Amino acid sequence: FGASANAQPGIRVLIPSDDTCDAFIAALNNGDRATMLDLGGWALGYLSGIAQQSGKNILGQVTSQSLMDNIATSCQRDPNRAMSAVVMEMGNSLLAQAR
């Protein structure tokens, strides 16, 4: 796991070691369960942490499958992006919608 450059100043966010959209899409397409658990588990944990910290029910209307589908769609548009950046943007969007 590495540290994300997109974290808030002074906050360290651990990210998966293979933090690329390309790795996420490859694992999804190849049925690589171990990698999907690593990457997808990180994403769900990160979003759950945002919900817990914010006190907002940002995940109340979504499923883990819909979150993975949204990550896959974003990653397919730009496979060179960091997957963690996609998930962080998703978290910010969910927070903005919950206000």
Side-chain angles (χ1 to χ4, degrees):
F1 287 88
S4 172
N6 295 332
Q8 296 176 27
I11 302 294
R12 182 169 182 229
V13 175
L14 296 179
I15 58 173
S17 57
D18 198 2
D19 181 31
T20 65
C21 276
D22 193 43
F24 182 86
I25 296 300
L28 187 63
N29 290 339
N30 295 326
D32 183 347
R33 185 170 165 80
T35 301
M36 282 305 299
L37 285 173
D38 180 34
L39 298 174
W42 177 87
L44 295 177
Y46 178 82
L47 294 170
S48 295
I50 288 175
Q52 180 66 34
Q53 188 276 329
S54 70
K56 297 178 191 258
N57 189 20
I58 64 170
L59 301 176
Q61 301 302 315
V62 298
T63 64
S64 57
Q65 184 62 53
S66 68
L67 290 171
M68 293 300 108
D69 291 345
N70 288 341
I71 295 167
T73 298
S74 293
C75 280
Q76 287 170 337
R77 280 191 290 248
D78 188 359
N80 295 318
R81 275 189 89 195
M83 188 209 71
S84 61
V86 168
V87 175
M88 288 178 192
E89 286 175 8
M90 185 182 298
N92 291 336
S93 176
L94 288 167
L95 276 173
Q97 292 171 21
R99 294 176 192 218

